[in-house]
Amino acid sequence: MASHSPFEQDVERVLIDEATLQARIKELASAITEAYEGQDLLLLAVLKGSVVFLADLMRGIDTPHSVDFMAVSSYGAGVQSTGVVRILKDLDRPIAGRNVLIVEDIIDSGHTLNYLVRMLQERNPGTLRVVTLLDKPSRREVNIPVDWVGFSIPNEFVIGYGLDYDELYRNLPYIGILKPDVYADLTAD
Ligand code: PRP
């Protein structure tokens, strides 16, 4: 079995293991298939964290759909959300009249999603819904309706399965909690 070391020594503990993740993603994919069966569907993935979730989710969705990507930045190299959202890459095509499903890896303060939803609504999609793998409800600063949530999690520094710290750990196949000493230098600034 291949090891993901040296990264794994930085993981305090596994919060959601691979089998649990995959089982829940299959459930989400079934629910999404049922909701959109026979209709147009565009999965809008928010780079970069959501790409691993998207890859598994879309393979479980059993109805025709297309995908497009946006890149936004709400965090610097640091740990906290600033509420400032920058569009780094916009969608390739218009979404007017389309059934758009935003695919997120995590909702924390809600600022990123709040900004995105407001901006995308102005483009007059047919419908606009949200699926997120992870939700940290205790951190919410802006309330945004979310249609499908994979897991509600406590306020821990999570990495893996697309989520990074300083662009690393995205390749871990599970959601882990990062050891505090890994980011201690940063929070001490
Ligand atoms: C994460 C996540 C969301 C946002 C959520 O992205 O993918 O887009 O933060 O935080 P919020 O609810 O507090 O706004 P991040 O900026 O870490 O970028 P990445 O996906 O490229 O790692």
Side-chain angles (χ1 to χ4, degrees):
M1 189 74 183
S3 166
H4 296 270
S5 62
F7 298 143
E8 286 189 340
Q9 70 196 11
D10 296 341
V11 177
E12 181 86 46
R13 66 185 173 90
V14 174
L15 183 66
I16 308 170
D17 65 32
E18 191 173 357
T20 307
L21 273 178
Q22 293 301 331
R24 180 68 183 128
I25 291 164
K26 281 200 170 64
E27 289 178 357
L28 292 171
S30 295
I32 290 165
T33 300
E34 201 174 310
Y36 292 97
E37 212 143 32
Q39 300 177 50
D40 164 61
L41 173 60
L42 171 67
L43 301 181
L44 190 175
V46 186
L47 296 170
K48 305 171 191 169
S50 67
V51 292
V52 182
F53 175 43
L54 173 75
D56 284 336
L57 183 72
M58 67 186 288
R59 283 178 291 180
I61 296 176
D62 195 21
T63 188
H65 59 273
S66 46
V67 291
D68 205 343
F69 297 90
M70 286 191 78
V72 303
S73 176
S74 57
Y75 291 41
V79 182
Q80 301 293 322
S81 176
T82 58
V84 176
V85 177
R86 286 187 301 142
I87 302 294
L88 305 177
K89 181 217 171 291
D90 207 336
L91 296 170
D92 289 342
R93 296 193 184 181
I95 57 167
R98 301 208 60 186
N99 292 326
V100 178
L101 178 60
I102 298 175
V103 179
E104 265 287 22
D105 53 339
I106 188 164
I107 302 171
D108 192 332
S109 70
H111 286 295
T112 305
L113 196 57
N114 184 48
Y115 182 90
L116 274 180
V117 164
R118 283 164 185 265
M119 190 195 67
L120 293 169
Q121 286 289 13
E122 287 174 13
R123 301 182 189 187
N124 299 313
T127 62
L128 183 60
R129 293 189 196 169
V130 178
V131 57
T132 186
L133 179 66
L134 305 176
D135 184 16
K136 272 189 186 174
S138 64
R139 297 261 308 163
R140 196 72 90 258
E141 292 172 14
V142 192
N143 252 321
I144 282 287
V146 180
D147 299 276
W148 291 282
V149 174
F151 302 89
S152 281
I153 62 169
N155 186 22
E156 303 275 8
F157 197 121
V158 283
I159 49 159
Y161 200 75
L163 287 95
D164 76 310
Y165 167 63
D166 205 12
E167 296 298 332
L168 296 176
Y169 310 101
R170 295 192 198 271
N171 58 316
L172 294 175
Y174 53 80
I175 301 291
I177 296 175
L178 191 63
K179 281 186 182 163
D181 58 329
V182 177
Y183 57 90
D185 291 347
L186 193 107
T187 50
D189 285 346

